[in-house]
């Protein structure tokens, strides 16, 4: 299901519309790399006004992610990545999980997607904090 970050006060979009799996992947990766900031990362899932600490947490994650070297995909999972896309159903069966979970795992492996999404989150939380506006992740 697609979602975007909205400034509730202005009623404007602060990010691109992305699948929910992308937002969850960014939050999971942030918690994985900097677990002590989990509360700041998961606040994106509810309506709120961003704090200075939340901005710091997302900024710390951005730089940590930028320098992060992920483990390579295993040869068994590479076959599910084709030129036409990713076979999330086949990957889910192989990993013994749901297709939704497989979609999140695939997106967690896409560093460029995570970085660009994190930049959008950073802009949104900075806007929220500077303008004292509430933000939330909304359905289009």
């Amino acid at each position: 299901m697609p979602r975007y970050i909205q400034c509730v006060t202005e009623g404007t979009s602060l990010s691109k519309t992305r699948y929910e799996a992308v937002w969850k992947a960014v939050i999971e990766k942030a918690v994985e790399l900097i677990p002590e900031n989990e509360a700041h990362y998961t606040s994106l899932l509810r309506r709120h006004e961003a704090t200075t600490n939340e901005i710091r947490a997302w900024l710390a994650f951005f730089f940590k992610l930028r320098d992060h070297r992920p483990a390579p995909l295993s040869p068994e999972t590479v076959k599910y990545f084709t030129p036409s896309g990713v076979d999330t159903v086949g990957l889910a069966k192989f990993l013994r999980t749901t297709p939704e979970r497989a979609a999140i795992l695939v997106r967690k492996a896409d560093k460029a997607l995570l970085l660009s999404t994190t930049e959008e989150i950073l802009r949104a939380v900075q806007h929220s904090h500077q303008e004292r506006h509430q933000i939330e992740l909304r359905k289009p």
Side-chain angles (χ1 to χ4, degrees), residues 4 8 14 21 31 33 42 63 70 89 134:
Y4 66 96
V8 177
L14 298 175
V31 171
L33 293 180
T42 57
F63 287 114
V89 174
Q134 288 194 339

Side-chain angles (χ1 to χ4, degrees), residues 27 30-32 34-44 57-58:
I27 292 168
V31 171
E32 179 183 307
I34 311 176
E36 61 271 14
N37 289 338
E38 181 175 5
H40 297 299
Y41 301 136
T42 57
S43 66
L44 186 64
W58 282 110

Side-chain angles (χ1 to χ4, degrees), residues 2-130:
R3 298 199 182 272
Y4 66 96
I5 301 173
Q6 181 187 47
C7 174
V8 177
T9 310
E10 295 175 355
T12 58
S13 174
L14 298 175
S15 71
K16 290 181 181 177
T17 300
R18 299 179 183 276
Y19 287 107
E20 191 170 4
V22 174
W23 300 108
K24 288 181 178 181
V26 170
I27 292 168
E28 281 187 22
K29 191 69 170 181
V31 171
E32 179 183 307
L33 293 180
I34 311 176
E36 61 271 14
N37 289 338
E38 181 175 5
H40 297 299
Y41 301 136
T42 57
S43 66
L44 186 64
L45 299 173
R46 59 178 168 71
R47 181 184 289 201
H48 73 290
E49 186 179 304
T51 64
T52 305
N53 289 335
E54 184 178 357
I55 295 170
R56 285 186 188 127
W58 282 110
L59 192 58
F61 169 65
F62 177 82
F63 287 114
K64 184 97 169 187
L65 178 64
R66 185 191 67 181
D67 299 335
H68 179 65
R69 301 249 187 248
L73 296 171
S74 69
E76 297 85 23
T77 59
V78 170
K79 66 181 177 183
Y80 297 103
F81 291 78
T82 65
S84 61
V86 179
D87 176 11
T88 53
V89 174
L91 183 61
K93 286 179 184 175
F94 173 74
L95 297 174
R96 295 187 178 132
T97 188
T98 65
E100 293 81 16
R101 183 73 194 137
I104 292 170
L105 295 173
V106 166
R107 283 158 177 91
K108 278 176 66 176
D110 188 342
K111 187 174 177 178
L113 176 65
L114 295 177
L115 283 169
S116 64
T117 305
T118 303
E119 285 182 84
E120 292 177 8
I121 294 169
L122 266 168
R123 282 193 297 272
V125 294
Q126 286 173 333
H127 169 83
S128 172
H129 180 67
Q130 289 171 349

